[in-house]
């Protein structure tokens, strides 16, 4: 098997923060600091062409990981290797080969047309004119940029701007792309367009992508593998399906009866919710098929539906388990 | 190497386009040096009148106005407080991260982003020089002295950039650097010779002041242009200027590298 393209080994990161409650003149010249550990022993390796969903609750350490991987921060301990680079030490040369998008920050020049920013990055990445034009045409088509290129960035909507940001970060054909919450605040259509675009460059160009997001739709549509981080520790790393199967052990059976029914003792423990004549039973996966007919015997029914928890629900469960663990 | 230079040139051009979006700002920048000269100049003319002297600190009325104009001409090349504000903002908000993930070095990036302002103000500079030579009929320094003057002006600009970037870099450690900028401005207003030529101070004080970095910002080039110094004196002072410029740039670069290690890219 080929070498992984990204490797993090025993990576720890701590920050030093001032101890609270220091006041007075002395604190101008001398401040007591304490260290907070933000990442504890992070290990993973990623192969070329993978599309990784890097998820976890707010403050878990996702952005910190991305900043380490992009060379903005240096690890307090451990080793990071991406391609043949040590991101922090080789930052300058390394940055020619990666693309970085932070959903909450902009790299476009605010006051001038998008195209001027693209030209700026063409120069910064030292892109050949013809290759640049080809790439630009491709992106203009895929991300629907025609009408945006000559508009000053400040006049763009968030969705329009994010499409331009993504284009600007990928004009130089990076081999690895880091996206930190690129879909934050976007409407369904913009999200859809961005997802389509990412799928395409991942599949056609074998670009390796690491995506952090709180949108489980992003994850379900884009990522086969997810890495789940919580309070600085990786709590799950594996296929999306396995995660679902591990946590999706029950389904909801919702039945609307014509009139209220008496729930027999055998089913009382399954009853999750009752709303006039609508009854929700929470049933283990394996028993769904045998229990549905029995439930339908309990009274005349209008309607029946079976619901599987969404990834969103799963993630909620994991977040709450680990936070309160 | 060619491409390397190219990227910073495009940074310059892009920033120029940014600036042109704010035409009123540019207009005011062009006018400001004249207002400053008029303000300081009229104070001094009043002083000449009140004292009834026609030579103060080795300056005549005319040479004094020429001195002031020369200093204004040099001051238009200063990157200005906006460059500190931009740096402070990028470091404080963590937006500097967006520059660190591109293959361009931050300090030259900033440098070239800051150049368009002085470039535009250079037009004002040219007008000032024309006033000097044509209207006031100033005696231009002789060739050798003129060469020293040019070296001196370049040293001043180099030094100014070091100071402004240096104050900006303090943002890695200090949340608000603007009080420091204001403090620096008032001290240098007094000690650089921007408002008062240093020859007005008592001889020893004046001598000491001339070797501090502040004098390099105004008095030395202004003095060279107006013939305050002999050739040897001027040469020594230009060397002092370049020494300060080298020291300060050394400091700026090492401080920046220290800062980067401390940089935490907050937010996002
Ligand atoms: N520069 C910093 N100094 C101190 N603490 C920080 C700093 N940056 C991040 N943190 C803390 O580290 C934790 C992880 O932050 P982050 O990586 O941004 O989380 P996420 O992106 O997963 O929401 C948070 O608790 C945050 O407060
Ligand atoms: Mg984050």
């Amino acid at each position: 098997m080929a070498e992984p393209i990204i490797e993090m080994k025993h990576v720890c990161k701590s920050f030093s923060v001032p101890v609270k409650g220091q006041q007075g003149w002395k604190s101008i010249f001398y401040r007591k600091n304490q260290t907070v550990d933000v990442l504890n022993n992070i290990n993973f390796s990623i192969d070329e062409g993978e599309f990784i969903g890097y998820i976890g609750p707010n403050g878990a350490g996702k952005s910190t990981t991305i900043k380490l991987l992009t060379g903005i921060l240096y690890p307090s301990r451990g080793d990071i290797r991406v391609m043949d680079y040590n991101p922090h030490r080789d930052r300058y040369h390394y940055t020619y080969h990666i693309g970085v998008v932070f959903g909450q920050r902009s790299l476009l020049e605010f006051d001038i047309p998008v195209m001027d920013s693209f030209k700026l990055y063409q120069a910064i990445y030292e892109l050949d004119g013809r290759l640049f034009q080809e790439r630009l045409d491709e992106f203009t088509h895929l991300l629907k940029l025609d009408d945006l290129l000559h508009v000053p960035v400040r006049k763009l909507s968030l969705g329009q701007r994010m499409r331009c940001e993504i284009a600007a970060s990928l004009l130089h054909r990076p081999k690895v792309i880091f996206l930190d919450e690129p879909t934050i605040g976007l409407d369904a259509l913009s999200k859809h367009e961005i997802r389509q675009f990412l799928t395409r460059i991942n599949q056609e160009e074998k670009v390796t992508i690491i995506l952090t997001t709180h949108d489980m739709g992003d994850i379900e549509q884009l990522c086969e593998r997810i890495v789940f981080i919580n309070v600085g520790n990786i709590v799950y790393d594996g296929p999306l399906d396995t995660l679902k199967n591990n946590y999706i052990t029950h389904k909801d059976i919702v039945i609307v009866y014509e009139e209220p029914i008496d729930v027999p003792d055998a089913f009382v423990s399954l009853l999750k919710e009752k709303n006039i004549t609508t009854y929700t039973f929470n049933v283990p996966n394996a028993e769904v098929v045998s229990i549905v007919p029995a439930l339908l015997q309990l009274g005349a029914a209008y309607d029946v539906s079976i619901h599987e928890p969404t990834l969103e629900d799963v993630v909620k469960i994991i977040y709450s388990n680990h936070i309160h663990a | 190497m060619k491409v390397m230079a190219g990227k910073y040139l495009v940074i310059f051009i892009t920033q120029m386009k940014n600036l042109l979006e704010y035409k009123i700002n540019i207009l005011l920048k062009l006018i400001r040096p004249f207002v400053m000269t008029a303000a300081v100049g009229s104070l001094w003319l009043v002083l000449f009148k009140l004292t009834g002297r026609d030579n103060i600190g080795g300056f005549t009325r005319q040479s004094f106005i020429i001195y002031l104009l020369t200093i204004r001409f040099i001051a238009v090349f200063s990157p200005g407080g906006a460059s500190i504000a931009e740096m402070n903002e990028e470091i404080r908000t963590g937006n500097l991260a967006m520059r660190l993930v591109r293959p361009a070095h931050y300090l030259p990036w900033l440098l070239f982003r800051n150049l368009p302002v002085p470039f535009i103000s250079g037009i004002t500079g040219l007008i000032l020089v024309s006033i000097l030579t044509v209207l006031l009929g100033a005696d231009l320094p002789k060739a050798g002295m003129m060469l020293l003057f040019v070296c001196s002006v370049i040293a001043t600009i180099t030094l100014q950039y070091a100071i402004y970037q240096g104050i900006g870099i303090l943002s890695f450690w200090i949340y608000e650097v603007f009080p420091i900028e204001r403090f620096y401005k008032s001290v240098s207003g007094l000690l650089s010779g921007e408002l008062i030529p240093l020859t007005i101070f008592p001889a020893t004080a004046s001598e000491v002041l001339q070797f501090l970095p502040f004098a390099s910002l105004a008095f030395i080039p202004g003095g060279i242009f107006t013939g305050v110094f002999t050739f040897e004196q001027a040469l020594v002072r230009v060397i002092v200027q370049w020494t300060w410029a080298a020291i300060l740039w050394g400091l700026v670069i090492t401080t920046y590298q220290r800062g980067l290690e401390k940089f935490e890219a907050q937010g996002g």
Side-chain angles (χ1 to χ4, degrees):
Chain A
M1 223 179 90
E3 279 236 311
I5 195 164
I6 298 177
E7 234 174 344
M8 286 194 111
K9 282 190 191 153
H10 309 297
V11 172
C12 302
K13 179 70 189 172
S14 44
F15 290 108
S16 126
V17 293
V19 174
K20 281 208 191 89
Q22 297 183 76
Q23 275 155 3
W25 285 97
K26 218 176 125 193
S27 69
I28 297 181
F29 302 103
Y30 174 76
R31 269 186 297 178
K32 263 204 220 122
N33 286 327
Q34 69 189 66
T35 52
V36 288
D37 298 325
V38 171
L39 297 180
N40 310 307
N41 195 20
I42 299 288
N43 293 282
F44 56 72
S45 62
I46 293 169
D47 290 325
E48 185 170 1
E50 280 198 275
F51 200 139
I52 306 288
Y54 193 50
I55 58 177
N58 284 323
K62 302 181 297 297
S63 297
T64 305
T65 312
I66 301 283
K67 287 170 199 160
L68 289 168
L69 284 169
T70 49
I72 297 166
L73 298 175
Y74 62 95
S76 309
R77 246 178 303 139
D79 291 310
I80 304 176
R81 187 186 56 77
V82 184
M83 292 168 276
D84 283 323
Y85 297 97
N86 170 334
H88 187 69
R89 197 194 57 207
D90 312 327
R91 183 165 46 81
Y92 186 85
H93 296 285
Y94 171 58
T95 52
Y96 280 98
H97 308 286
I98 59 166
V100 186
V101 177
F102 288 106
Q104 326 215 30
R105 300 187 198 276
S106 177
L107 62 102
L108 301 172
E109 298 285 331
F110 199 61
D111 291 315
I112 52 178
V114 177
M115 191 59 197
D116 287 317
S117 293
F118 285 179
K119 290 233 173 87
L120 173 66
Y121 288 105
Q122 178 194 0
I124 285 181
Y125 288 101
E126 299 161 34
L127 301 178
D128 165 86
R130 197 177 48 84
L131 286 178
F132 169 75
Q133 193 57 47
E134 270 176 29
R135 187 72 160 170
L136 183 62
D137 291 343
E138 184 192 344
F139 282 5
T140 307
H141 170 69
L142 290 174
L143 287 166
K144 306 194 176 62
L145 305 179
D146 306 86
D147 300 331
L148 309 181
L149 290 178
H150 301 287
V151 178
V153 174
R154 61 164 188 270
K155 293 194 179 154
L156 299 180
S157 74
L158 185 60
Q160 292 171 330
R161 208 201 74 205
M162 194 44 67
R163 268 146 53 204
C164 296
E165 298 277 352
I166 289 176
S169 328
L170 306 185
L171 284 169
H172 56 292
R173 297 169 202 268
K175 297 194 68 67
V176 181
I177 300 175
F178 302 93
L179 301 141
D180 194 353
E181 302 194 33
T183 53
I184 193 164
L186 301 190
D187 64 33
L189 184 63
S190 301
K191 277 182 189 172
H192 172 73
E193 283 167 350
I194 287 175
R195 286 172 188 166
Q196 265 193 325
F197 175 77
L198 292 176
T199 308
R200 186 186 152 115
I201 56 166
N202 172 242
Q203 288 175 354
E204 296 192 358
E205 299 178 16
K206 290 272 174 298
V207 173
T208 310
I209 303 181
I210 297 191
L211 166 77
T212 84
T213 181
H214 288 293
D215 185 318
M216 291 307 134
D218 288 346
I219 297 289
E220 279 182 300
Q221 288 187 20
L222 297 170
C223 311
E224 279 176 10
R225 170 176 164 195
I226 59 177
V227 176
F228 203 129
I229 183 176
N230 202 345
V231 247
N233 294 290
I234 289 182
V235 295
Y236 177 84
D237 178 354
L240 175 61
D241 292 337
T242 313
L243 180 82
K244 274 190 174 172
N245 294 340
N246 286 351
Y247 283 88
I248 303 185
T249 52
H250 288 63
K251 288 183 182 155
D252 284 344
I253 299 171
V254 182
I255 302 179
V256 187
Y257 295 99
E258 283 176 1
E259 49 195 55
I261 54 156
D262 289 324
V263 181
D265 290 347
F267 295 140
V268 167
S269 63
L270 301 179
L271 184 63
K272 183 170 146 193
E273 218 180 293
K274 179 187 165 214
N275 186 2
I276 315 179
T277 61
T278 303
Y279 292 72
T280 304
F281 300 93
N282 192 244
V283 182
N285 288 347
E287 293 168 34
V288 171
V289 177
S290 58
I291 285 185
V292 171
L295 292 173
L296 290 174
Q297 298 298 311
L298 300 177
Y302 271 133
D303 189 21
V304 56
S305 54
I306 301 175
H307 301 271
E308 188 173 82
T310 60
L311 182 60
E312 190 91 37
D313 298 325
V314 173
V315 165
K316 240 184 273 166
I317 296 168
I318 306 180
Y319 283 9
S320 56
N321 283 352
H322 283 277
I323 285 170
H324 303 298
Chain B
M1 198 54 220
K2 198 176 128 232
V3 207
M4 278 291 290
K7 83 172 63 165
Y8 296 105
L9 185 66
V10 175
I11 288 172
F12 170 82
I13 294 169
T14 309
Q15 185 61 8
M16 186 66 102
K17 287 182 189 160
N18 266 329
L19 280 183
L20 291 174
E21 289 293 306
Y22 294 92
K23 301 205 172 58
I24 295 182
N25 188 17
I26 292 183
L27 207 65
L28 292 180
K29 273 195 168 53
L30 293 176
I31 295 171
R32 215 174 96 96
F34 295 101
V35 179
M36 289 284 285
T37 313
V40 183
S42 39
L43 267 178
W44 277 93
L45 290 181
V46 168
L47 202 64
F48 274 105
K49 192 152 202 163
L50 286 179
T51 56
R53 290 162 62 175
D54 48 28
N55 186 317
I56 303 181
F59 285 88
T60 64
R61 230 170 278 224
Q62 193 214 23
S63 69
F64 194 79
I65 297 301
I66 292 173
Y67 174 83
L68 283 181
L69 285 168
T70 316
I71 286 171
R72 275 303 126 209
F73 163 67
I74 299 165
V76 297
F77 292 101
S78 155
S83 69
I84 296 180
E86 187 182 13
M87 211 163 163
N88 179 260
E89 148 111 14
E90 287 189 351
I91 295 173
R92 222 165 17 85
T93 60
N95 279 340
L96 168 62
M98 295 309 292
R99 299 202 192 280
L100 296 181
V101 295
R102 322 274 147 208
H105 296 289
Y106 184 54
L107 286 184
W109 190 333
L110 269 182
L111 198 69
F112 280 82
R113 267 178 84 82
N114 287 329
L115 278 180
V117 174
F119 189 83
I120 291 171
S121 315
I123 301 167
T124 318
L126 279 179
I127 299 172
L128 286 172
V129 171
S130 323
I131 295 179
L132 277 179
T133 49
V134 182
L135 292 184
L136 294 176
D139 295 333
L140 290 183
K142 299 217 168 52
M145 207 56 146
M146 196 62 176
L147 189 70
L148 278 184
F149 174 67
V150 172
C151 292
S152 171
V153 170
I154 297 173
T156 301
I157 297 169
T158 312
L159 198 58
Q160 269 171 341
Y161 272 84
I163 291 170
Y164 277 87
Q165 295 217 342
I167 295 176
I169 284 172
L170 293 179
S171 311
F172 281 116
W173 292 270
I174 303 169
Y175 201 74
E176 23 164 24
V177 292
F178 304 106
I180 298 177
E181 181 200 347
R182 278 195 294 272
F183 181 72
Y184 154 74
K185 274 206 179 129
S186 44
V187 173
S188 88
L190 184 68
L191 302 183
S192 69
E194 188 188 332
L195 307 171
I196 317 160
L198 299 182
T199 40
I200 292 206
F201 291 102
T204 27
S206 161
E207 194 70 15
V208 172
L209 286 177
Q210 288 183 37
F211 288 89
L212 293 184
F214 297 108
S216 296
L217 296 170
F219 183 69
I220 294 179
I224 293 177
F225 195 82
T226 42
V228 171
F229 307 118
T230 64
F231 186 82
E232 283 74 28
Q233 283 175 329
L235 184 65
V236 170
R237 280 161 181 75
V238 171
I239 293 171
V240 168
Q241 276 191 298
W242 279 105
T243 312
W244 279 119
I247 292 174
L248 276 158
W249 267 109
L251 266 176
V252 164
I253 292 167
T254 46
T255 315
Y256 167 70
Q257 278 156 353
R258 288 273 201 87
L260 261 198
E261 276 164 33
K262 219 192 150 295
F263 180 58
E264 292 182 344
Q266 255 123 0

